[in-house]
Amino acid sequence: MFRYAIENKEDMKIFAGTLKASFYNKFLQQAKTLLSTQKISIICEKKCEASDFQKLIKRSENGNISDINAQESLGVSHFILAGESAYRDEKSDALKTASASFNGYMRGSFLSVFFDAIKKNIGNLA
């Protein structure tokens, strides 16, 4: 998704349970490249794990991280979205299943609107 967002100059939206350092720190260089021209906006259901990735996003003018600090899962899938047509949508974290598309405008557009609605209502979700 990072490579797609960089190549196509697309903003990125991430809805995650938390930002696991062991996973997201692998994408530091890609995030740095993307943040030089595009935006990365992240919502975490729980408090985001402190990491180099998290620090990079918070320091950048083009980065934004919001924590819901929910007591329990909201019961919605986690996803990464690049633009409005490229996405990876986790169906089950426990089963490690997901669907992805680089040309799924209908689902991508839905996820983008959904992300924006969550961000707008974060205060009501905690």
Side-chain angles (χ1 to χ4, degrees), residues 10-13 34-35 37-41 61-63:
E10 298 281 6
D11 292 339
M12 187 172 250
K13 295 178 180 178
L34 186 60
L35 287 167
T37 59
Q38 302 305 123
K39 294 180 180 174
I40 298 177
S41 185
E61 213 172 273
N62 285 333

Side-chain angles (χ1 to χ4, degrees), residues 91-111:
K91 299 301 179 194
S92 169
D93 189 43
L95 297 174
K96 304 296 184 211
T97 57
S99 61
S101 176
F102 290 90
N103 192 24
Y105 184 77
M106 184 175 283
R107 180 73 178 158
S109 181
F110 169 80
L111 290 173

Side-chain angles (χ1 to χ4, degrees), residues 15-28:
F15 178 71
T18 186
L19 291 179
K20 293 185 180 180
S22 60
F23 179 76
Y24 283 98
N25 278 347
K26 297 174 189 176
F27 301 102
L28 279 172

Side-chain angles (χ1 to χ4, degrees), residues 45-126:
E45 279 187 295
K46 298 184 172 67
K47 186 150 179 62
C48 290
E49 211 175 280
S51 68
D52 292 335
F53 181 84
Q54 181 244 22
K55 289 176 194 168
L56 174 69
I57 302 300
K58 281 192 168 188
R59 281 193 314 246
S60 174
E61 213 172 273
N62 285 333
N64 178 272
I65 297 179
S66 302
D67 291 322
I68 295 173
N69 288 325
Q71 297 300 315
E72 56 188 65
S73 172
L74 297 180
V76 297
S77 62
H78 299 154
F79 58 88
I80 297 174
L81 180 65
E84 288 201 3
S85 62
Y87 63 86
R88 180 183 187 279
D89 188 7
E90 290 184 8
K91 299 301 179 194
S92 169
D93 189 43
L95 297 174
K96 304 296 184 211
T97 57
S99 61
S101 176
F102 290 90
N103 192 24
Y105 184 77
M106 184 175 283
R107 180 73 178 158
S109 181
F110 169 80
L111 290 173
S112 183
V113 169
F114 183 62
F115 182 94
D116 294 343
I118 292 171
K119 190 167 184 168
K120 181 179 176 185
N121 290 290
I122 282 178
N124 300 326
L125 298 172

